[in-house]
Amino acid sequence: MNYQAMYDESIDNKEQFWAAQAGHLKWKRQPTTILNSDNDGYAQWYADGMLNMSYLCLDAHVEAGNGMKPAIYYESAATGTSSVITYKQLLDSVAHFAAGMRNLGVGEGSTVIIYMPMIPQAVIAMLACARIGAIHSVVFGGFAPHELAMRIDDAKPKLIISASYGIEFGKKIPYKELVDAALKEAKHKPDYQIYYRREKGFDSLGGRNELDFEALMKCGTVGCKDVPSQHPLYILYTSGTTGTPKGIVRDTGGYATALKFSMSNFYGVQPGEVFFAASDIGWVVGHSYIVYGPLLHGCATVLFEGKPVKMPDAGTFWRIVEKRKVNHMFTAPTAIRAIRKEDPDGTLMKQYNTESLKQLFLAGERCDTATWEWIGHKLGKPVIDHWWQTESGWPMLGLMTRFEEQIPKPGSAGRAVCGYDIRVLDEDGNEVLNGTEGYIAIKLPMPPGCLTSLWKNEIRFWKGYLEKFPGYYLTGDGGYKDDDGYFYITGRIDDVINVSGHRLSTGEMEELVAMHKGVAECAVVGIADELRGQRPIALIVLKDGYMAQETDIETELVALIREKIGAVAFFRNAVIVKRLPKTRSGKILRKTICQIADGKAYTTPSTIEDPAVLNEIYEALRQREQGMAFVTEKAA
Ligand code: COA
Ligand code: AMP
């Protein structure tokens, strides 16, 4: 079958198509009801199906005689260690840890927060939750205690699972201290905190509710609890327009079906092959393609703890490819840009045998053509940009490698993936002509695997995604389609930015900056950054009479964002301006600020209150650029 026939089938004959895909999984009870829709036309998949994700990822492979095959290649550039964990060993650990959690009263529907570095115990904890029907919520380890506290208060976990420390470029991240700080701030108090001790001598587990990860594994084993297809497998918080993160809820049956389908048909992976997604389990890529996708499909997944550069060098990825004979790789363009900066001629890359690699997938942010061309040329393998988001859980645009070979043109994120009826709409919800930019929306129903709601917040779910264009899901991205059906993503249409592949909310940063005693009003926008894709800067208007040096207030704001969100926000600049450009109705013209900051040509919006302010902004930014240099390098 070719791509077009397969795609058309997925749209025109949805139920039949997705019933067939569900048939590739070992359900406890095979679904007979394939698709239901709620009042807004929002899909619920496989309503009467029953299954267990941990069973599909582990037990099913062991039962099929593949227990001795590698499930995880743990490659820690951070500690200079590596190990292999077979399916049988992983199942054993998961069954033990799940029993330990169950002894603590965790069961079907309980929520558990996992705040851990990239170590196998994090994967064990995720799969153990799935085993007993508990709902995990993994929080990215780079987030500060305040972010963790917000997630604790929203998810109300029974347990927090963490580790003694993480490692970032040789510096230790004190997870236990960060959890303690978050718990001080959070209103909700989990029953227990569980810590994995990475080395002997970490014995600060003194609190009444603090337990040792390994001690918990001494309570026997437990089997799988089958759950209905709609049962939430996890909540994954992501950034939205405001400071409060959105808890994306993922179901079990639809997600398992979509991941299995994507492994075979999108990524073109065979069971038993080696899949290396160089992301973090705190992000959706980590959930879908470090943990669940590869394990469902019987692959060996590479769990990589480290950075693509400097740990020890920019050959790290290729060293792992050679050592583990990686067949398929996935990373963010920012990682490739970092490698290119350190190894522009590919000298380090050439030291390793990368023959096993069939293709490299890029996602998480827009991939610039120069980076795409560089890596394609150096690696000599197909480089496939593809587009998706936390909400979708799996690719929406790209190249379905099982059916098509023609790599999309540079700058394009590809064609619609099976199941996604993607449209470009204008402000009134009408489809625009090809080549015209608009809102990227998906005609309902969404295929299996996409978010089912926001955690305990149906109203925000509806308002954020379904209200603007009835009958469509709003992706939050803008872009256009060409005559051949290839889409081009031009960027977010909301207050979300992508810094080093990390999705962050400028709205949240703005709320924090506005709390500073000297700030009358402010705008935080994302500007272009050579390495990181984007990074945030603040434009601030000082309160009347508030006297401060720009450098002082900037230092305070940098510290504030670091403390509240984390170093990953890469917030480095606050520029004082006399006023902000606004529409006559008082809306800040953020897009125009971005254009000015990025040195792009801009047209004066017709709605602007006073056009003279644009020149002031231009001068303030340019002066700043010359005087102190907009730092694109890491600050000392
Ligand atoms: N835990 C704690 N801190 C973290 C962290 C984590 N998991 N990840 C990043 N940070 C910190 C860094 O240590 C750094 O702190 P510093 O300012 O005190 O030095 C800060 O956050 C900024 O980090 P980052 O933006 O990552 O810059 P970097 O120079 O450390 O690394 C890259 C640059 C490009 C190598 C790195 O961002 C990278 O590997 N990006 C790929 C991301 C990715 O795979 N995303 C997944 C999307 S699919
Ligand atoms: P996240 O939810 O963190 O995965 O971030 C999703 C957002 O990242 C999308 O809505 C896009 O704005 C952006 N994004 C992801 N992949 C791509 C891509 N291939 N091209 C352009 N933007 C992308």
Side-chain angles (χ1 to χ4, degrees):
M1 202 183 259
N2 65 20
Y3 159 77
Q4 199 59 53
M6 182 91 170
Y7 176 77
D8 290 348
E9 177 72 10
S10 76
I11 300 297
D12 301 339
N13 270 323
K14 292 180 183 55
E15 294 203 34
Q16 223 174 311
F17 183 90
W18 288 112
Q21 301 311 327
H24 296 301
L25 299 175
K26 271 190 164 180
W27 296 73
K28 182 68 177 181
R29 187 171 70 213
Q30 197 75 29
T32 53
T33 304
I34 304 303
L35 173 62
N36 284 335
S37 294
D38 66 12
N39 293 342
D40 295 310
Y42 203 77
Q44 291 161 349
W45 289 94
Y46 312 121
D48 59 349
M50 294 285 289
L51 74 171
N52 181 281
M53 188 62 125
S54 176
Y55 173 82
L56 297 178
C57 289
L58 302 171
D59 308 59
H61 301 306
V62 174
E63 285 171 14
N66 293 321
M68 300 314 282
K69 295 213 166 136
I72 296 179
Y73 288 129
Y74 171 51
E75 289 296 330
S76 175
T79 57
T81 58
S82 79
S83 57
V84 185
I85 302 170
T86 65
Y87 272 96
K88 171 82 182 64
Q89 288 166 334
L90 187 58
L91 168 59
D92 206 48
S93 301
V94 168
H96 277 94
F97 191 68
M101 284 205 294
R102 208 183 52 177
N103 276 2
L104 297 178
V106 177
E108 189 174 346
S110 308
T111 49
V112 172
I113 278 191
I114 299 172
Y115 181 65
M116 293 180 100
M118 290 287 288
I119 54 177
Q121 288 69 24
V123 180
I124 292 169
M126 290 167 80
L127 289 162
C129 286
R131 195 164 190 84
I132 54 176
I135 305 164
H136 63 68
S137 184
V138 182
V139 178
F140 173 56
F143 278 133
H146 171 68
E147 292 287 329
L148 178 58
M150 283 198 287
R151 286 155 175 80
I152 292 171
D153 280 338
D154 199 65
K156 302 202 169 25
K158 244 180 136 49
L159 306 182
I160 293 188
I161 305 172
S162 189
S164 43
Y165 61 84
I167 300 162
E168 269 293 305
F169 282 128
K171 102 189 143 194
K172 283 192 175 175
I173 306 291
Y175 277 83
K176 169 110 182 13
E177 281 172 31
L178 300 176
V179 173
D180 286 346
L183 287 174
K184 227 181 216 172
E185 183 180 329
K187 289 189 195 71
H188 173 79
K189 305 293 172 205
D191 294 352
Y192 299 97
Q193 293 92 254
I194 296 160
Y195 294 94
Y196 177 72
R197 300 176 200 230
R198 298 196 70 175
E199 63 188 21
K200 291 198 178 76
F202 173 80
D203 38 35
S204 59
L205 295 187
R208 189 171 56 85
N209 303 328
E210 295 172 354
L211 303 174
D212 175 59
F213 189 100
E214 291 205 313
L216 213 64
M217 292 178 86
K218 299 193 172 109
C219 310
T221 61
V222 70
C224 296
K225 170 87 184 98
D226 293 307
V227 294
S229 175
Q230 286 284 302
H231 181 74
L233 176 67
Y234 64 76
I235 308 163
L236 179 55
Y237 288 91
T238 190
S239 300
T241 309
T242 63
T244 327
K246 304 189 282 193
I248 303 298
V249 180
R250 189 85 59 211
D251 71 346
T252 307
Y255 187 52
T257 306
L259 291 184
K260 178 83 181 150
F261 173 77
S262 69
M263 288 300 291
S264 300
N265 299 288
F266 184 86
Y267 294 105
V269 180
Q270 299 288 335
E273 287 192 313
V274 183
F275 199 86
F276 176 14
S279 178
D280 190 287
I281 49 149
W283 306 115
V284 69
V285 177
H287 283 64
S288 296
Y289 297 111
I290 294 177
V291 182
Y292 291 114
L295 296 180
L296 266 171
H297 205 48
C299 294
T301 185
V302 176
L303 183 72
F304 170 63
E305 183 183 29
K307 295 275 176 179
V309 291
K310 295 184 185 139
M311 280 185 96
D313 57 34
T316 302
F317 278 179
W318 322 122
R319 189 174 302 117
I320 294 173
V321 168
E322 177 183 280
K323 181 173 173 194
R324 298 302 183 192
K325 298 198 170 38
V326 172
N327 304 115
H328 309 268
M329 195 174 164
F330 180 154
T331 190
T334 190
I336 301 298
R337 285 194 292 268
I339 293 171
R340 183 184 178 193
K341 199 162 158 240
E342 306 268 318
D343 185 26
D345 303 323
T347 313
L348 279 165
M349 184 196 287
K350 279 184 227 141
Q351 290 177 11
Y352 300 98
N353 182 347
T354 53
E355 268 317 295
S356 59
L357 198 61
K358 296 183 180 170
Q359 52 211 352
L360 171 69
F361 292 90
L362 297 177
E365 54 173 320
R366 214 181 81 78
C367 183
D368 55 287
T369 308
T371 301
W372 183 79
E373 281 175 346
W374 179 83
I375 187 65
H377 179 65
K378 293 287 173 226
L379 210 50
K381 309 281 174 184
V383 177
I384 299 152
D385 183 14
H386 64 313
W387 170 80
W388 52 295
Q389 52 185 196
T390 307
E391 288 86 341
S392 69
W394 64 290
M396 300 193 281
L397 285 176
L399 180 82
M400 299 208 54
T401 56
R402 188 157 166 214
F403 306 102
E404 10 170 36
E405 283 183 355
Q406 181 64 46
I407 306 289
K409 300 159 212 171
S412 165
R415 292 198 279 186
V417 172
C418 286
Y420 290 98
D421 188 352
I422 306 185
R423 311 285 176 104
V424 187
L425 306 179
D426 67 14
E427 193 58 43
D428 301 321
N430 299 314
E431 264 189 80
V432 300
L433 294 175
N434 287 345
T436 308
E437 200 174 325
Y439 296 90
I440 307 276
I442 297 165
K443 196 164 185 312
L444 299 179
M446 299 286 271
C450 299
L451 82 169
T452 53
S453 187
L454 292 182
W455 183 245
K456 301 212 186 295
N457 204 337
E458 284 291 328
I459 293 176
R460 191 172 178 197
F461 170 60
W462 180 76
K463 279 194 160 303
Y465 300 104
L466 305 177
E467 182 185 33
K468 188 168 176 76
F469 301 123
Y472 291 88
Y473 163 87
L474 184 68
T475 65
D477 281 297
Y480 61 94
K481 183 170 94 164
D482 71 12
D483 290 337
D484 301 320
Y486 289 89
F487 285 81
Y488 295 77
I489 303 296
T490 49
R492 296 288 304 190
I493 47 159
D494 54 13
D495 298 333
V496 167
I497 57 170
N498 232 296
V499 183
S500 293
H502 308 315
R503 176 166 157 180
L504 299 165
S505 165
T506 52
E508 175 177 14
M509 292 182 218
E510 213 164 277
E511 286 168 22
L512 292 168
V513 170
M515 280 161 47
H516 186 281
K517 59 183 184 300
V519 173
E521 60 176 342
C522 63
V524 177
V525 296
I527 63 164
D529 180 277
E530 241 179 51
L531 176 64
R532 293 177 171 76
Q534 281 184 297
R535 68 189 178 88
I537 62 161
L539 265 56
I540 51 175
V541 179
L542 293 183
K543 282 182 181 156
D544 281 347
Y546 187 84
M547 301 296 280
Q549 290 288 332
E550 191 169 57
T551 44
D552 292 343
I553 197 161
E554 184 172 76
T555 307
E556 287 161 17
L557 291 173
V558 167
L560 179 75
I561 300 291
R562 213 179 160 85
E563 181 206 323
K564 295 289 185 190
I565 297 179
V568 281
F570 206 77
F571 179 89
R572 294 287 198 269
N573 294 110
V575 179
I576 296 176
V577 293
K578 282 189 232 135
R579 54 203 176 132
L580 295 169
K582 290 185 188 165
T583 63
R584 281 182 281 280
S585 59
K587 236 177 129 204
I588 296 172
L589 291 158
R590 289 186 178 74
K591 200 171 167 190
T592 316
I593 298 176
C594 290
Q595 287 168 332
I596 297 173
D598 286 344
K600 288 188 186 146
Y602 61 91
T603 44
T604 305
S606 58
T607 50
I608 196 165
E609 191 184 28
D610 178 3
V613 71
L614 295 183
N615 208 32
E616 289 169 22
I617 300 283
Y618 179 88
E619 288 304 327
L621 287 169
R622 290 292 92 86
Q623 239 179 48
R624 184 58 196 281
E625 196 176 32
Q626 285 153 23
M628 293 185 56
F630 266 24
V631 274
T632 48
E633 292 300 319
K634 190 188 284 251

